[in-house]
Amino acid sequence: MKRETTQVVIVGGGPNGITAAHYMGLYGIDCVVLELAQGILPYPRAVGMDDEALRVLQTVGVAERAHRDMIANVPLRYYNARGVCFAEVKPSVADYGWPMRNIFMQQLLEGTLREELVRHEGVDLREGHEMLALDQDDDGVTLQVRDAGGETYELCARYVIGADGGRSCVRKQLGIPLVGLTHPRKWVVVDAANDTLDAPYTALHADPQRPFVCIYLPYRQRRWEFMLLEGESEEAMCEEGNIRRLIRGHIGEAVDQLEIVRIRAYTHNSRVAERFVSGRVALIGDAAHITPPWAGQGLNSGLRDVANLCWKLAAVLKGRAKPSIIDTYDVERRGHATDLIALADNMGAVLGMTNPLVAGVRDWLFQAVNTVDNLRSHLVEFKFKPKATLTKGLVHHERPDLSEGDLVGQLFIQPNVENAEGQRQRFDEVLGPWYAVIGYRCNPLEQVSAEMQAYWQGLETRFIQVNRSRSGARNQPLSAAGVISVEDLDNRLSDWFCKARDSIVVVRPDRFIAAITTPERLNEVLGKLARQLS
C-alpha cells in the first residue's frame, strides 16, 4: 500500500476545513485536505457571517474578496402574527473592523476560499478522497484513505483536524460522544432565485399558526423556512406545489416568478462533543458542536475554532511551543461555543411558540422592552450575544479575582491606523500573524531585557508603538527605535487604553488579549507568557 507523509491532515473541505488549510499555508505548514465530495454544492447553506468570522478570514487574506459577495448590516426583525415588527436587531458598531451582520451564500464563499488556496504551495486539496480509518500514537497519526479511483493508501501526519461536520467520521473513530438534544420539530428550508420581494432584511415571523423565516440573500435570491407542524407529512410538505402555496400566502402572485433552487427538511440539534481534543486530533466546527440556525452562529463558531486552534498547531510544529498548548483549544473554546448554542435555543423558542396565548405574552414583553432605552439598545446592537472571554488558557490575568470589566481574555479591537508611509489600514494588518506587543504612546521595547526580546522576536512577535494622530511634524510622523510606529487615526485606541488604564497590551495571533500591563511590568509579564508556551 502506498504511504505518504505530511505535517497536518484536515478531514473535511467545507469552509472551516479550507480556512484551516489557509492558516496552515500562512504559517508555512504542509497539509493535505481530504474531502469526499467532488466540487461545491451549488446552493446556499450557511447564510450569516459576523464581524469576528470576517476578521478570521482577514488574517488569511481572503476577507476583502469574500465580502464583495456579501450584504452588510442586514437587520434582523421579529414579526408577530399580525405582521407587526415587535423587535429589531440592527447593530451599527464595527469594533472588530467589519460589519456585525453580513448575509452571504455559502457556495460563493467556498468558491472564493478554494480559488485563493492556490497561493499556498504546501497545501494539497484532494477531492473525492475518503478517510476510512484513523490510528494514532505518541509520534503521529496514520489514516487509511480511499482516493477518487477506489485505491487505498496510508497518509501519516503529525496532527489531524476533524472538520467533517455533524456526522463526523473522525469523531466517531475517536469514540467521542456528541451530547445534547435533538429538537422535536423539523423545518422545511426553501432556497429561491429570481426574487423581487422588497424586504431587505432577515424576518423571523413568530406566527403561532406556522412560524416561518424569510431571509434576504445576495443576487436576487431568498430563503424561506417553514416549521413542520405536528402530524404533517415531511414528504408532502417538501413538494414544490405545496411550498409555492405557502409562499403565495405571504407574497401573492410574485411567487410565480420564483425559481425554486432546492427544498429540504432539516432536523435541528443542540449538541457538543465531550472533548474537542484527543491526543493529536482536534475537532472543529460541527464536528465539535452543533447549533440550531436561529442565532446564525454555526459557521461563525467554526471559524472561531479555526482561529484558536491553528496558530497553536503551527507554533508546536515550528518548535516554538510545547505540544500541551493544543489542549488549551478545548479549555478556551468550549464555554463560548456552548453559550452560543444556548442563545440559539432561546431565540428558537421565542420564534417557535405555537400557543397563541403564550405568543401574545411574548409580544407584549418585547413591546415593553422597546420602551426602555437601554434595553432597546441592548437588543438593537445585538449585545445579548455572548462575548467570548478567556478566563483560562494562554492568558495572564494580573489579579485572580476577575471583574466583569476585565479586558484580558477578550478580543482586541480593530480600528483604522495610519502607518509611517501615510497609508490607512486596519490594525490587524500591522499586528501580523503571530503575537504583537503594543504600547500606547510608549516604546514597548524600552524596559524589556535583551534575553526576553530575543525570545519573543524568535516567535516573530511584532512590537508596535501607537501615537496620537498628527502628533509628529508635518510629513514626519513620530517614530520609535526598533518598533513599528502607527498613528491612532480615529482616537479609538486612545479610548480603549483609557478604559484599560494601562499602556501596554499583548495580543495573541487570534487577536485575543493575552495581557495588559505597564512598561515597568512588561518584562515580567512576557516571562510568564513565555512559560505558558514553552
Side-chain angles (χ1 to χ4, degrees):
M1 183 184 297
K2 184 173 68 172
R3 183 182 179 90
E4 300 180 38
T5 60
T6 189
Q7 290 177 286
V8 173
V9 171
I10 301 168
V11 182
N16 295 321
I18 299 299
T19 303
H22 273 282
Y23 268 85
M24 295 300 102
L26 172 70
Y27 290 123
I29 304 297
D30 291 336
C31 82
V32 172
V33 183
L34 303 175
E35 171 53 49
L36 178 58
Q38 292 184 318
I40 297 168
L41 292 175
Y43 48 79
R45 283 162 288 160
V47 295
M49 182 166 289
D50 64 19
D51 48 350
E52 297 173 44
L54 271 168
R55 196 176 184 183
V56 173
L57 298 183
Q58 178 190 347
T59 300
V60 293
V62 298
E64 289 284 0
R65 182 178 169 190
H67 200 249
R68 293 174 199 161
D69 288 320
M70 298 184 187
I71 309 171
N73 292 319
V74 177
L76 169 67
R77 296 179 179 178
Y78 276 91
Y79 289 85
N80 62 21
R82 292 174 287 116
V84 176
C85 178
F86 65 84
E88 182 178 51
V89 176
K90 192 179 180 181
S92 58
V93 298
D95 286 342
Y96 304 134
W98 298 91
M100 282 187 69
R101 277 185 51 80
N102 305 273
I103 298 297
F104 75 106
M105 294 191 289
Q106 184 171 324
Q107 74 273 29
L108 301 182
L109 173 66
E110 289 195 53
T112 296
L113 286 169
R114 292 195 183 196
E115 289 167 15
E116 292 291 326
L117 203 61
V118 298
R119 293 186 280 116
H120 307 297
E121 293 183 1
V123 176
D124 181 6
L125 171 60
R126 300 181 182 181
E127 294 183 336
H129 288 235
E130 179 183 9
M131 187 204 77
L132 303 175
L134 175 155
D135 185 53
Q136 63 175 315
D137 55 28
D138 292 340
D139 298 320
V141 188
T142 301
L143 299 91
Q144 304 294 324
V145 183
R146 181 165 52 219
D147 66 20
E151 298 294 323
T152 58
Y153 63 96
E154 280 190 352
L155 184 57
C156 301
R158 296 275 304 281
Y159 290 94
V160 168
I161 299 174
D164 51 341
R167 299 177 181 176
S168 171
C169 292
V170 173
R171 189 185 64 242
K172 292 174 183 176
Q173 286 279 326
L174 297 170
I176 299 176
L178 195 61
V179 180
L181 59 90
T182 296
H183 296 272
R185 294 288 178 86
K186 287 190 173 184
W187 285 71
V188 176
V189 176
V190 183
D191 289 307
N194 199 33
D195 173 71
T196 59
L197 183 62
D198 185 18
Y201 44 79
T202 297
L204 307 183
H205 289 266
D207 184 346
Q209 290 191 358
R210 186 189 299 277
F212 73 97
V213 178
C214 181
I215 305 175
Y216 170 62
L217 298 178
Y219 307 122
R220 300 182 65 197
Q221 298 206 32
R222 187 172 295 272
R223 170 168 292 176
W224 298 82
E225 302 180 16
F226 298 96
M227 179 188 277
L228 197 64
L229 301 178
E230 189 173 352
E232 287 186 325
S233 165
E234 175 185 332
E235 184 178 356
M237 273 290 290
C238 288
E239 292 178 2
E240 184 171 332
N242 289 331
I243 288 299
R244 285 188 180 273
R245 276 192 290 276
L246 276 177
I247 298 175
R248 185 181 299 277
H250 301 293
I251 66 172
E253 294 181 0
V255 69
D256 297 330
Q257 302 176 35
L258 293 182
E259 175 192 345
I260 303 299
V261 176
R262 70 154 185 164
I263 305 170
R264 183 173 176 180
Y266 278 93
T267 299
H268 295 151
N269 293 280
S270 301
R271 296 182 178 273
V272 181
E274 280 195 350
R275 57 188 186 279
F276 295 173
V277 178
S278 178
R280 291 177 171 268
V281 184
L283 305 174
I284 64 172
D286 285 356
H289 41 77
I290 305 176
T291 178
W294 310 123
Q297 289 298 303
L299 176 58
N300 295 294
S301 284
L303 291 174
R304 292 186 190 96
D305 294 343
V306 172
N308 186 290
L309 173 66
C310 286
W311 73 266
K312 296 172 184 176
L313 278 177
V316 170
L317 288 166
K318 285 179 167 291
R320 297 177 176 181
K322 57 190 177 185
S324 62
I325 72 163
I326 294 169
D327 293 331
T328 67
Y329 162 60
D330 191 312
V331 172
E332 294 178 352
R333 283 293 303 136
R334 175 174 296 277
H336 189 239
T338 304
D339 287 345
L340 288 175
I341 292 173
L343 173 65
D345 287 346
N346 291 333
M347 292 179 70
V350 169
L351 171 66
M353 293 175 178
T354 54
N355 183 310
L357 291 177
V358 176
V361 173
R362 171 204 60 202
D363 298 350
W364 177 84
L365 287 172
F366 272 95
Q367 286 170 351
V369 165
N370 270 329
T371 64
V372 182
D373 287 344
N374 60 341
L375 292 178
R376 183 170 59 249
S377 172
H378 191 78
L379 180 68
V380 169
E381 293 294 340
F382 206 16
K383 294 177 183 177
F384 57 89
K385 172 185 167 187
K387 182 177 289 188
T389 303
L390 310 181
T391 58
K392 299 178 181 179
L394 302 180
V395 291
H396 170 67
H397 292 275
E398 299 250 278
R399 295 169 294 276
D401 52 330
L402 303 181
S403 63
E404 187 176 336
D406 196 341
L407 296 174
V408 172
Q410 294 188 20
L411 274 172
F412 190 53
I413 62 170
Q414 185 184 197
N416 288 316
V417 297
E418 187 174 283
N419 64 18
E421 288 73 41
Q423 298 168 326
R424 185 184 183 100
Q425 57 189 157
R426 292 185 176 96
F427 199 21
D428 284 3
E429 307 305 322
V430 180
L431 302 186
W434 291 102
Y435 274 84
V437 181
I438 305 160
Y440 182 69
R441 302 183 66 209
C442 65
N443 185 334
L445 278 177
E446 277 188 348
Q447 300 191 50
V448 178
S449 68
E451 179 185 10
M452 197 57 62
Q453 286 187 38
Y455 173 83
W456 285 97
Q457 287 168 345
L459 302 182
E460 297 184 49
T461 300
R462 293 188 182 180
F463 290 83
I464 301 162
Q465 175 169 317
V466 175
N467 301 307
R468 287 175 176 158
S469 182
R470 307 294 177 257
S471 54
R474 191 174 186 190
N475 299 322
Q476 289 183 324
L478 291 179
S479 61
V483 302
I484 301 168
S485 294
V486 297
E487 292 189 2
D488 182 17
L489 273 182
D490 304 318
N491 276 319
R492 296 281 309 285
L493 289 164
S494 171
D495 293 342
W496 189 91
F497 277 96
C498 182
K499 183 180 178 181
R501 293 182 297 180
D502 278 321
S503 58
I504 302 284
V505 59
V506 182
V507 179
R508 306 186 337 172
D510 57 4
R511 314 312 182 197
F512 277 84
I513 298 166
I516 298 173
T517 188
T518 64
E520 294 77 17
R521 299 197 307 270
L522 177 60
N523 198 73
E524 178 186 356
V525 168
L526 288 177
K528 291 178 178 178
L529 292 173
R531 287 191 287 277
Q532 290 180 352
L533 293 173
S534 59

